[in-house]
Amino acid sequence: VPVRAVVERAPEVSSVEATPQSVVVRRCPGSTPAQVRATIVEESGVDAVELHWIRPGTVEQVSPMSGETGAHYLGALGPFDTPGDVRWWVSAVDIRTNRSASAPQVLRVGSC
């Protein structure tokens, strides 16, 4: 009797970082978004990589991240109109709909 087994693994999300780790509000001189980078390793193929963020009292926002080279993805976080903390994370979905997400991190948004 032939037997075939398939092991499903969720994408591996690693090396998640925002540069810089704090920014200033949009109206300040030198205000720029933080650049988020993540490494996604997936054996069956990546379907989508997304950057999620939320602030107290607001709804979650989601934007697609673009593939830089191979397993490296980039996204922009900001600019923001008001100071305060922004909680953010990266999610990945493979072509077989397996999902995973990084641990949430905090981007600090300061005033001028």
Side-chain angles (χ1 to χ4, degrees):
V1 174
V3 176
R4 180 178 169 207
V6 177
V7 177
E8 292 288 332
R9 292 184 182 91
E12 181 183 316
V13 180
S14 63
S15 303
V16 177
E17 64 179 358
T19 306
Q21 294 181 352
S22 64
V23 295
V24 291
V25 294
R26 183 188 316 263
R27 67 185 175 275
C28 297
S31 172
T32 60
Q35 184 177 50
V36 174
R37 293 177 180 238
T39 300
I40 311 297
V41 176
E42 174 45 49
E43 60 203 22
S44 65
V46 174
D47 183 45
V49 178
E50 296 175 322
L51 174 60
H52 303 253
W53 71 95
I54 191 165
R55 301 187 83 173
T58 66
V59 297
E60 179 182 320
Q61 302 291 315
V62 181
S63 63
M65 294 180 71
S66 60
E68 182 182 35
T69 56
H72 302 286
Y73 288 80
L74 296 174
L77 191 55
F80 297 98
D81 293 324
T82 56
D85 290 347
V86 176
R87 190 167 56 106
W88 65 273
W89 63 97
V90 174
S91 70
V93 180
D94 69 14
I95 61 173
R96 295 179 183 149
T97 67
N98 296 304
R99 301 175 177 274
S100 64
S102 68
Q105 297 190 38
V106 173
L107 176 74
R108 304 212 181 277
V109 181
S111 51
C112 296

